[in-house]
Amino acid sequence: MASNEGEEPLLRAVAMQNARTVLMAQQRAEEALRQSEERYRSLTQAIASVVWTTDADGRFVTPQPSWVEYTGQTWDEYRDFGWVNALHSDDRKRVRALWNAARDDQTLFHLDGRLWHVASGAYRHFEARGVPILNASGILREWIGTFLDVEDRTVAETALRQLAADLSDADHRKNEFLAVLAHELRNPLAPIRSGLDVLRRADGNSESFATTSAMMERQLAHMVRLVDDLLDVSRISRGKIELRRERIDLASAVKHAVEASRELVDCMHHELTVVLPSRPIYLHADHTRLAQVMGNLVNNACKFADAGGRIVLSVAQEGPQAVISVRDSGVGIAADHIPRIFEMFAQVESTIDRSASGLGIGLTLVKTLVELHGGTVEVRSDGIGHGSEFVVQLPIMADVQSVAPPTAHDAPSPAVVARRILVVDDNVDAATSLAMLLTLSGHVTHLAHDGVDAVGQSALFKPDLVLMDIGLPQLNGYEAARQIREQPGGEHIGLVALTGWGQEQDRQKSRDAGFNAHMVKPVALDALLALIASLPAAYD
């Protein structure tokens, strides 16, 4: 009895120790489970996806917290195979087929599709992966996997693919544009070169001289128009085009457009009909730019009509809108080209025999200038071989009270006052030919071919006027102008920048350097002579 009584406290102590050990083990297991669940929740939040488990057939047999959080489905909605309903309807059949194949083969399950995302209220792209779990006997027991949200990646990849396609298309169109530009510039250069050969062999034949000179002047004007169009495109892309609006009679702009296009119309033997309304239509618009719009449309019609084609330019009023239509009997436009007809460098497919297809920027200019006026432009065509029609609509001025046009008075041309002119250009041919023209016009000229020489010749020659290029060697035109101004009497000399740089910032630099005027090459002789006449002599 004594021994039994001694053993009981020991047994109780052992039992209590075992109980504590079991309790501690249970607590550690519960803590491990809690930590595991916490890691599970953290994992699902960190990867912004759904972690899931199913039975061997693909049924949800236990609650899936991350599935609920992502899709918003309740247990009754997603249990068993209800999870399929959270897929986009277009993806369900494909997903089930891939799932069945993976289940039958007991292989890795991998697919993509779109899954409903309750927070954004939209289907989002996902990638799903599932791993088959086998029991000790090698029999499929369950699946464990993820639905990974890849919407942002998919959108980015799509944007990158589109950007790559756009860049490839832009590069292709750029190369085509450069090829066309080279072709269009060579077109007028060829007759100009031939004209020079004719002049060298004319041997005083006045008829040949007059005909050739007129031809060369036309071709030069064509080249100037090409360059002007390119400059306008540059201004458009930088938002630098400004309209000089005034109250104009639309018929006047039509007249100027037709005059500018008449040579091309006649050259291609087209029949141009102009239909104007019986009463004038007044617009608040830039006269020059509207004439450019209509001129471009008429020129475009000329280029895409066979020789002897018909072109009709008509103007009408429809309510508060002026409607301008340019219709031709030309090659027409295929339906798939119409949406892109006004895009930069876009060109209708043409054959070699229709080489005057232009640079692909004229219609872009038309659209931009019309929209700057608050109007619209559209193109209509019944397809290849059925001609085309461009229709411009512009708002009419509310106040249409007629204003008497100014009376033109013919005045005799003033006598030329000889000026001492220093011509500065590093292009020797350009400087020499301009000096010859000025000399033939009654002026006294002197030449310099760099900035340093211009400053020195100005002090020696004492000119009334300096016509100076900007891009000069040794000393650029801006700095040369400043130094000329600092010479004794230099403040009275007329300084004119005669340059190929024609942007507004270039003109501002000229003003800052002390130039009186800024003219862009090639300059019309009449405009230059008028400017020279307007400047006083520096040393009278």
Side-chain angles (χ1 to χ4, degrees), residues 476-487:
N476 67 48
Y478 299 130
E479 188 56 37
R482 293 187 181 96
Q483 294 189 22
I484 290 173
R485 284 288 185 226
E486 293 171 356
Q487 295 175 346

Side-chain angles (χ1 to χ4, degrees), residues 15 45 54 88 128 134 154 172 198 200 273 286 312 343 349 354 389 446 472 524:
Q45 292 173 0
T54 73
H88 193 284
L134 309 180
T154 302
H172 175 69
V198 170
R200 278 194 292 268
T273 302
D286 185 319
V312 178
E343 291 182 11
E349 295 293 334
R354 200 171 300 281
E389 180 183 17
H446 199 71
L472 296 171

Side-chain angles (χ1 to χ4, degrees), residues 143-422:
W143 293 84
I144 184 169
T146 62
F147 277 77
L148 181 63
D149 187 315
V150 294
E151 178 69 19
D152 294 340
R153 189 186 76 189
T154 302
V155 171
E157 289 174 348
T158 301
L160 285 173
R161 284 193 295 270
Q162 184 60 51
L163 178 60
D166 291 344
L167 289 174
S168 177
D169 181 60
D171 183 64
H172 175 69
R173 291 167 63 188
K174 177 207 69 176
N175 290 335
E176 284 190 340
F177 166 74
L178 291 176
V180 172
L181 175 61
H183 174 269
E184 289 294 303
L185 289 175
R186 288 191 184 102
N187 271 346
L189 283 174
I192 288 175
R193 181 169 183 172
S194 297
L196 291 172
D197 291 335
V198 170
L199 293 179
R200 278 194 292 268
R201 292 166 172 76
D203 195 24
N205 187 310
S206 59
E207 182 178 353
S208 296
F209 182 86
T211 301
T212 304
S213 297
M215 177 273 293
M216 293 174 69
E217 186 172 357
R218 288 195 303 270
Q219 297 302 322
L220 178 61
H222 176 61
M223 291 187 67
V224 171
R225 283 197 299 271
L226 290 176
V227 174
D228 285 344
D229 279 353
L230 289 171
L231 291 175
D232 278 343
V233 166
S234 175
R235 296 185 188 107
I236 285 173
S237 64
R238 294 180 295 109
K240 295 294 185 180
I241 279 192
E242 295 182 0
L243 300 181
R244 298 179 181 178
R245 292 176 179 261
E246 59 183 341
R247 186 176 185 271
I248 69 167
D249 181 355
L250 180 53
S252 174
V254 172
K255 177 182 177 182
H256 281 80
V258 171
E259 288 177 350
S261 303
R262 175 57 64 183
E263 180 182 331
L264 181 60
V265 172
D266 293 343
C267 177
M268 302 188 72
H269 307 290
H270 293 319
E271 176 188 339
L272 174 61
T273 302
V274 178
V275 181
L276 297 174
S278 57
R279 300 180 61 182
I281 297 175
Y282 295 100
L283 308 178
H284 184 232
D286 185 319
H287 186 281
T288 300
R289 291 301 190 180
L290 277 194
Q292 182 182 5
V293 165
M294 290 180 283
N296 277 357
L297 291 178
V298 172
N299 288 345
N300 188 74
C302 287
K303 294 171 185 176
F304 290 98
D306 293 324
R310 298 183 306 279
I311 302 170
V312 178
L313 192 167
S314 63
V315 176
Q317 179 174 346
E318 295 181 4
Q321 299 287 317
V323 180
I324 305 164
S325 167
V326 178
R327 188 173 68 254
D328 64 70
S329 60
V331 297
I333 305 171
D336 57 339
H337 283 123
I338 287 180
R340 298 184 60 183
I341 199 71
F342 294 105
E343 291 182 11
M344 190 78 74
F345 307 140
Q347 300 229 16
V348 173
E349 295 293 334
S350 59
T351 56
I352 292 176
D353 65 325
R354 200 171 300 281
S355 58
S357 55
L359 299 178
I361 59 181
L363 293 180
T364 302
L365 289 174
V366 166
K367 185 175 188 291
T368 301
L369 292 174
V370 168
E371 290 177 349
L372 284 174
H373 281 87
T376 61
V377 58
E378 63 174 319
V379 60
R380 304 166 183 170
S381 178
D382 291 331
I384 300 298
H386 295 284
S388 59
E389 180 183 17
F390 288 83
V391 180
V392 174
Q393 295 193 50
L394 296 166
I396 294 174
M397 286 188 67
D399 178 15
V400 294
Q401 294 181 358
S402 61
V403 176
T407 303
H409 299 282
D410 294 330
S413 301
V416 174
V417 177
R419 296 281 188 257
R420 295 170 62 82
I421 302 174
L422 176 62

Side-chain angles (χ1 to χ4, degrees), residues 46-107:
I47 63 177
S49 67
V50 176
V51 178
W52 51 270
T53 60
T54 73
D55 67 8
D57 291 326
R59 297 183 182 89
F60 282 159
V61 294
T62 57
Q64 310 286 317
S66 60
W67 183 271
V68 175
E69 183 178 355
Y70 191 93
T71 67
Q73 281 186 312
T74 65
W75 171 242
D76 288 338
E77 291 173 331
Y78 73 83
R79 67 186 303 174
D80 294 332
F81 291 108
W83 59 269
V84 175
N85 296 324
L87 298 172
H88 193 284
S89 58
D90 293 343
D91 297 333
R92 294 171 189 170
K93 184 176 180 180
R94 178 175 57 86
V95 169
R96 288 299 300 268
L98 291 172
W99 172 267
N100 291 335
R103 181 198 60 196
D104 295 343
D105 297 337
Q106 298 185 9
T107 56

